[in-house]
Every structure is written in structure tokens, then in C-alpha cells.
């Protein structure tokens, strides 16, 4: 794992740096594999990043979009990660509909939806059960409880190590989420973390020793690159040790 930590002056600089990183990955991936695959994060922090990507001149027919997790709501629901990304980015560009790989949330049963999406991923990546294909980029956020994707502290999803997709749980509300081994198979994982409220969790995630079931972001240790992009409010106290 190649881990890099950058503390940016503000959220605007964080977004600009994330955009720069993502754009640098697209052409090499297309040259090597014929396509670029990216898994998106939800929340407010990446929205301006998606708007910036939408303003870029990119080979949309070669770009495939996934989500690292999704609330179990329809895509037109205000809480939908997919809905936010469509409004900010995907509906603004000429990307083929077949290149947008939504997490199904209309099966009525989250476990069925998770299994369905796992099968969709296996078909796309031509992999068998138990294999973990490598996405080019996975974008992640982190909550003030150190959760990432829908991998929440002390939940069953943290124990799933033999599947690509599982059911997450947020205060009794189901979500669909990538498992941490699938995230860790990625060529590049980029955390976007903003806000002073994230400092206590970051301190535990970066600590030499801490409990991963309490601080799930510690589980993210990809085979490829790991980038932590932090704004000054979140990362100022880490800069001396991790910069």
C-alpha cells in the first residue's frame, strides 16, 4: 500500500486536488484496460467535485460509474447518493446509460438487492465468486464516527470478507455497501475528509493501534494507492506527523 496524506487549506483546494488526481488516472486506465472505473461517495463533500468533473472534457463512453454505498431509497429520493451524483454530474454529460451501474434499491429486501448487485459486478468484471476485481478509483468519505461507505462501527457488514457487496446498517436503516476487501482491491482509494468534527475520528484512524470495529476506516488498506485528502479544519493536527 502506498499511503499519502495531504492537508489542503480549505474545501475548495481539497476538491481541486481530488479532481487533479482523478483526471490523472483516467487516460492511463483507458490505455491499459480500455476503460476507467470509478466508485462514488455520497455526502456533501464530493458534490462540488462531481460538478467539476462534469465540466471536464472527458471520453465519457470509456468511463464507468459505480457507487461505494447507497441508502435503500429510490434514485429520485433526496437522500439518494445516485440522485445527487446524477444531478451534479451524470445528467450534465453525454455518458452512456449502460456505463452507469446503479445499486438496486427496489427489490424490497436489501439482502436480495446486495446479491443482485454482486452478480452485476461479477458479470461486468468477468470474475467468479470469491474474486475481488480492481476498480481504478474508489472515492470515500468518513463520518465523525469513522465510518466509511456504509461500514458503520460494530455492524455485521464489517465481518463480511467473502463478498463484494453486503447490507450496511445505520441506526436500523438498511443500506447497500461495498465490502472492505472489495474496496481494498482498488488501484487507488481517495478519502475526502472535511470539517473539524472529523478530528477525533481521524486521530484514531491514524493511531498506531486502535480497534477497527470501532473505527471502520482503519480497515481501508488498499493494494494500490491510498490518498487521504483533508481540509485544514480536519487535518491540521495530523500534518506534523503525517504530512
Amino acid at each position: 500500500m502506498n499511503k499519502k496524506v495531504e492537508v489542503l487549506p480549505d474545501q475548495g483546494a481539497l476538491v481541486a486536488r481530488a479532481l487533479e488526481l482523478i483526471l490523472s488516472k483516467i487516460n492511463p486506465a483507458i490505455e491499459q484496460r480500455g476503460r476507467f472505473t470509478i466508485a462514488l461517495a455520497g455526502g456533501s463533500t464530493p458534490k462540488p467535485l462531481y460538478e467539476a468533473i462534469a465540466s471536464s472534457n472527458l471520453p465519457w463512453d470509456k468511463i464507468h460509474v459505480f457507487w461505494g454505498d447507497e441508502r435503500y431509497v429510490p434514485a429520485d429520493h433526496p437522500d439518494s447518493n445516485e440522485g445527487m451524483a446524477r444531478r451534479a454530474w451524470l445528467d450534465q454529460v453525454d455518458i452512456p446509460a449502460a456505463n452507469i451501474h446503479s445499486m438496486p434499491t427496489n427489490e424490497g429486501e436489501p439482502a436480495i438487492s446486495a446479491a443482485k448487485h454482486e452478480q452485476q459486478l461479477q458479470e461486468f468484471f468477468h470474475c467468479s465468486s470469491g474474486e475481488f476485481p480492481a476498480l481504478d478509483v474508489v472515492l470515500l468519505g468518513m463520518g465523525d464516527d469513522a465510518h466509511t461507505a456504509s461500514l458503520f462501527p460494530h455492524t455485521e457488514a464489517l465481518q463480511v470478507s467473502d463478498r463484494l457487496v453486503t447490507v450496511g446498517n445505520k441506526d436500523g436503516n438498511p443500506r447497500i455497501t461495498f465490502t472492505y476487501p472489495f474496496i481494498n482491491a482498488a488501484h487507488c482509494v481517495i478519502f475526502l475528509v472535511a470539517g473539524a468534527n472529523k478530528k477525533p475520528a481521524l486521530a484514531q484512524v491514524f493511531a498506531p493501534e486502535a480497534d477497527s470495529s470501532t473505527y471502520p476506516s482503519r480497515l481501508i488498506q488498499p493494494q494500490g494507492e491510498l490518498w487521504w485528502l483533508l481540509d485544514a479544519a480536519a487535518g491540521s493536527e495530523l500534518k506534523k506527523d503525517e504530512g
Side-chain angles (χ1 to χ4, degrees):
M1 180 180 68
N2 182 7
K3 178 181 176 182
K4 299 179 181 179
V5 181
E6 294 186 6
V7 181
L8 290 309
D10 52 37
Q11 191 165 339
L14 184 156
V15 167
R17 180 62 174 133
L19 177 65
E20 180 182 39
L21 273 177
I22 291 167
L23 295 182
S24 75
K25 305 295 182 186
I26 293 175
N27 285 336
I30 293 172
E31 290 171 5
Q32 294 173 28
R33 293 178 285 278
R35 65 192 182 199
F36 173 74
T37 56
I38 182 169
L40 306 186
S44 59
T45 302
K47 183 180 178 182
L49 171 60
Y50 301 157
E51 292 170 342
I53 295 173
S55 298
S56 304
N57 183 19
L58 297 173
W60 300 116
D61 61 321
K62 300 287 199 304
I63 294 174
H64 288 261
V65 176
F66 301 81
W67 279 265
D69 73 314
E70 184 57 275
R71 296 174 174 90
Y72 207 67
V73 296
D76 59 359
H77 191 282
D79 293 338
S80 169
N81 291 340
E82 177 186 345
M84 184 272 281
R86 284 186 177 274
R87 291 187 295 273
W89 166 12
L90 301 174
D91 289 348
Q92 313 304 321
V93 300
D94 191 23
I95 186 170
N99 290 20
I100 300 173
H101 304 271
S102 308
M103 283 186 158
T105 57
N106 55 358
E107 309 298 318
E109 172 52 55
I112 295 175
S113 296
K116 179 177 180 178
H117 196 48
E118 174 129 1
Q119 183 177 7
Q120 292 168 340
L121 290 165
Q122 289 169 344
E123 291 173 355
F124 177 83
F125 286 104
H126 303 292
C127 66
S128 302
S129 180
E131 294 181 332
F132 293 93
L135 287 148
D136 291 307
V137 171
V138 175
L139 296 177
L140 295 174
M142 189 194 75
D144 56 12
D145 60 355
H147 86 269
T148 192
S150 284
L151 301 171
F152 289 92
H154 305 292
T155 56
E156 292 182 8
L158 303 182
Q159 310 303 319
V160 180
S161 60
D162 59 346
R163 299 198 296 278
L164 306 179
V165 185
T166 191
V167 179
N169 189 302
K170 167 66 170 173
D171 299 329
N173 296 311
R175 303 185 178 197
I176 308 300
T177 185
F178 284 177
T179 62
Y180 76 86
F182 183 28
I183 295 172
N184 284 341
H187 293 293
C188 177
V189 174
I190 304 173
F191 273 94
L192 309 177
V193 183
N197 61 318
K198 308 295 177 64
K199 279 185 178 181
L202 279 171
Q204 295 300 320
V205 172
F206 281 85
E209 294 185 13
D211 180 17
S212 295
S213 65
T214 303
Y215 305 100
S217 289
R218 293 179 63 90
L219 293 169
I220 307 306
Q221 300 179 26
Q223 64 175 8
E225 300 174 12
L226 174 60
W227 292 83
W228 283 88
L229 303 184
L230 317 171
D231 74 351
S236 57
E237 294 176 10
L238 294 173
K239 195 170 185 180
K240 293 179 182 178
D241 297 326
E242 304 286 346

